[in-house]
């Protein structure tokens, strides 16, 4: 596919209106062709107007039509997989084979959401039939379904440049819900973004949909993202990235004259608790497994296990040695962007200044933005007194916490802020302690994992990739998995409607045979 670097506004290509950038190869520091256009609020206006024009027809596509559109995007991703992976690899320093697998995952997500659309359960069709004889007051017929929010702004993430970016789960779930999407492309991988953007643009056209269903903008600095969040025609926002960026955009969305929901996924250290019996039985294996997962994607994963807590005793030294061996065997690898490399270096320094001791280091950096694998250790007492040690260093570093006893472990569990996940490594003899920890962790995390690691994330119906602040700005929703669609829906009640004016999901004869809640009972009636 020939890259032009233009913005994709509906069916059109728009050249730069406020400067350009080149992609950067973080492994070599070399710039990569071509020039990529920056836009202004004028392009945001145009994209938002097109999205608003597209809304009614897109929101009213039949379930089969919409599902077929999502499948077309999946097929398009399959067709460009090698090319997309090559380009993304050049722009991120991540291995092409891994990125090809990520493309397959992205295509699968679109197919999974196509299936969600066909099932129609996301409408949550609910019917309370009229009760004309009810005393003391008759009840009118009430019917409820969920419809799409409206046009939404999606910020592509930097760290999984395909499955969390232009063709990621946010886009798939928003389009599945019936929301036109304006994508704010991440400047860390503009070429890969263009390839994915074109795949979606082509699928819009091939499906005979309104061109405003998808647009992709890019900008230098915050202005373009701010213009998107502020735009009166935008009705929802999703974001994955830093806490500072996520909170700035969340606050902006709340401070509009008409506040809108903003689902921002930000930061999580995904603590792992090793309980005493498991530690004694298999400390080395747990240390090795943790070491492997903390280094995936050069540690640039929202589910990277960053903090390992174990009570000092039998098995602790084995766990520590296995973890040290993993870290020392790791070559320094290119990080995604100079900015991410810089904040990694600063955050590790912050942890050392807060009292954590460096106990292992991987191979020395060769390139300018190579991230060196690091293992730090701190005792539980210090950790309790230094809340900043519980904060993220996004990159290939982890903190091992030498805990004094069970009471200290429980106190440390209570200290964590909201998390995407927490993990317990346990054996049968640890269940009593696990029962004390579980209510503490339930209040703080979106997912609790036993005897495995949270990463990688399954994309399925029960998946939750969310959690209390600061993991996300809204703990009621997930950004991964089939229920991610719920972020983009809102309920509408139709009262006293004649059948011909009712939406399909609520018609009396249930033409699609959908599961519906009628008078509180689930059926296909
Ligand atoms: P970021 O700086 O938060 O940026 C993410 C996206 O949001 C970019 O497109 C950025 O645009 C935009 N943006 C950020 N702040 C904004 C603001 N105030 N107004 C308007 N737009 C704004 O994240 P990043 O560059 O991907 O990585 C930086 C750090 O974020 C990492 O070091 C890591 O700590 C964290 N991170 C966390 C996760 C996670 O999964 N939890 C994932 C990725 C990154 P511009 O680039 O144009 O400014």
């Amino acid at each position: 596919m020939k890259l032009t670097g233009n913005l994709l506004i509906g069916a059109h290509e728009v050249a730069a209106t406020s400067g350009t950038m080149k992609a950067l190869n973080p492994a070599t520091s070399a710039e990569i062709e071509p020039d990529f256009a920056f836009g202004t609020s004028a392009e945001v206006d145009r994209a938002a107007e097109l999205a608003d024009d597209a809304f009614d027809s897109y929101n009213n596509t039949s379930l089969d039509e919409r599902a077929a559109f999502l499948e077309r995007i999946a097929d398009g991703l399959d067709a460009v997989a090698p090319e997309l992976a090559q380009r993304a690899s050049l722009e991120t320093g991540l291995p092409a084979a891994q990125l090809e697998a990520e493309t397959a995952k992205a295509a699968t997500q679109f197919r999974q959401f196509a299936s969600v659309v066909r099932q129609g359960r996301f409408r949550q069709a609910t019917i309370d039939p009229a009760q004309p004889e009810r005393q003391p007051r008759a009840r009118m017929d009430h019917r409820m379904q969920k419809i799409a929010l409206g046009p939404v702004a999606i910020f592509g993430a930097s760290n999984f440049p395909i499955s969390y970016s232009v063709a990621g789960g946010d886009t798939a779930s928003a389009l599945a819900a019936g929301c036109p999407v304006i994508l704010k492309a991440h400047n860390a991988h503009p070429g890969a973004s263009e390839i994915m953007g074109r795949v979606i643009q082509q699928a819009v056209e091939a499906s005979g949909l309104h061109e405003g269903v998808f647009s992709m903008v890019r900008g230098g600095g915050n202005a373009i993202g701010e213009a998107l969040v502020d735009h009166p025609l935008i009705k929802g926002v999703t974001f994955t990235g830093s806490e500072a960026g996520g909170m700035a955009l969340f606050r902006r969305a709340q401070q509009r004259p008409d506040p809108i929901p903003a689902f921002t996924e930000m930061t999580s250290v995904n603590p792992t608790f090793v309980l005493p019996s498991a530690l004694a039985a298999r400390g080395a294996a747990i240390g090795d497994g943790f070491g492997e997962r903390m280094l995936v994607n050069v540690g640039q994963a929202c589910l990277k296990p960053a903090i390992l807590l174990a009570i000092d005793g039998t098995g602790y030294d084995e766990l520590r040695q296995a973890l040290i061996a993993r870290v020392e065997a790791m070559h320094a690898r290119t990080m995604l962007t100079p900015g991410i490399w810089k904040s990694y270096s600063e955050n590790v320094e912050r942890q050392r200044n807060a009292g954590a001791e460096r106990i292992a280091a991987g191979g020395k950096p060769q390139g300018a933005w190579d991230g060196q694998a690091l293992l730090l250790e701190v005792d539980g007492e210090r950790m309790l007194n230094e809340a900043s040690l519980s904060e993220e260093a996004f990159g290939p570093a982890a903190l091992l916490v030498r805990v004094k006893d069970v009471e200290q472990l429980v106190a440390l569990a209570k200290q964590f802020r909201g998390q995407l996940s927490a993990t317990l490594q346990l054996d049968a003899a640890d269940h009593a302690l696990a029962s004390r920890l579980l209510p503490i962790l339930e209040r703080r995390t979106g997912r609790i994992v036993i005897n495995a690691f949270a990463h990688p994330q399954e994309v399925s119906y029960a998946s939750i990739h969310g959690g209390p602040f600061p993991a996300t700005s809204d703990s009621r929703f997930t950004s991964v998995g089939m229920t991610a669609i719920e972020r983009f829906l809102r309920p509408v009640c139709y009262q006293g409607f004649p059948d011909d004016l009712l939406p399909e999901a609520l018609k009396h004869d249930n033409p699609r045979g959908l599961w519906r809640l009628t008078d509180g009972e689930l059926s296909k009636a």
Side-chain angles (χ1 to χ4, degrees), residues 155-159 164 184-188 219-226 239-246 248-249 252 265-268 300-303 336-337 339-341 343-344 347 392-394 420 465 471:
F155 285 72
S158 58
N159 56 333
Y164 277 79
K184 193 288 187 184
H186 201 293
N187 292 345
N222 292 339
I224 201 102
E226 292 174 353
F239 164 97
T240 300
S242 65
E243 186 174 341
L249 295 172
R252 228 177 156 91
E265 190 214 308
M266 295 166 289
T267 177
S268 181
Q300 302 158 118
C302 28
L303 289 169
L336 291 162
T337 66
I340 289 177
W341 175 86
S343 67
Y344 171 62
N347 280 320
E392 189 176 17
F394 193 72
L420 293 172
H465 189 74

Side-chain angles (χ1 to χ4, degrees), residues 110-313:
F110 276 92
R111 292 197 176 93
Q112 286 172 304
F113 277 109
S115 153
V116 166
V117 169
R118 280 211 176 82
Q119 290 161 6
R121 282 203 301 267
F122 71 94
R123 292 249 178 254
Q124 293 182 31
T126 303
I127 299 168
D128 297 335
Q131 294 177 351
E133 312 301 331
R134 193 182 69 171
Q135 292 300 331
R137 195 164 55 84
R139 181 172 84 178
M140 282 184 85
D141 185 279
H142 285 61
R143 291 167 189 249
M144 184 281 282
Q145 70 160 357
K146 291 210 167 168
I147 68 160
L149 276 184
V152 294
I154 292 180
F155 285 72
S158 58
N159 56 333
F160 287 94
I162 298 165
S163 63
Y164 277 79
S165 183
V166 180
D170 283 347
T171 305
S173 50
L175 291 174
C179 295
V181 165
I182 304 179
L183 199 296
K184 193 288 187 184
H186 201 293
N187 292 345
H189 49 269
S193 296
E194 182 176 335
I195 296 172
M196 292 181 279
R198 287 180 180 282
V199 163
I200 300 175
Q201 194 187 46
Q202 284 159 11
V204 170
E205 189 188 355
S207 304
L209 298 171
H210 188 298
E211 60 170 313
V213 167
F214 179 80
S215 291
M216 189 174 84
V217 295
R218 186 184 307 104
N222 292 339
I224 201 102
E226 292 174 353
L228 265 176
V229 174
D230 290 349
H231 202 287
L233 295 175
I234 292 292
K235 299 300 174 196
V237 179
T238 70
F239 164 97
T240 300
S242 65
E243 186 174 341
M247 285 312 294
L249 295 172
F250 176 79
R251 290 197 184 99
R252 228 177 156 91
Q254 302 310 301
Q255 284 163 6
R256 287 169 40 132
D258 57 336
I260 54 170
F263 303 98
T264 67
E265 190 214 308
M266 295 166 289
T267 177
S268 181
V269 291
N270 310 298
T272 297
F273 298 81
V274 189
L275 306 198
S277 178
L279 180 65
R282 50 195 168 86
I286 295 169
D288 186 60
F290 183 97
E292 184 204 344
R293 297 306 166 93
M294 70 175 256
L295 298 171
V296 171
N297 235 41
V298 202
Q300 302 158 118
C302 28
L303 289 169
K304 180 196 83 173
I307 299 189
L308 181 61
L309 304 102
I311 298 172
D312 200 3

Side-chain angles (χ1 to χ4, degrees), residues 293-335:
R293 297 306 166 93
M294 70 175 256
L295 298 171
V296 171
N297 235 41
V298 202
Q300 302 158 118
C302 28
L303 289 169
K304 180 196 83 173
I307 299 189
L308 181 61
L309 304 102
I311 298 172
D312 200 3
T314 312
Y316 186 92
D317 288 342
E318 289 79 358
L319 174 138
R320 187 175 187 271
Q321 274 317 313
L323 196 41
I324 287 173
R326 271 280 179 188
V327 169
E328 287 182 344
M330 182 72 179
H331 302 296
R333 282 166 55 196
T334 307
M335 297 192 75

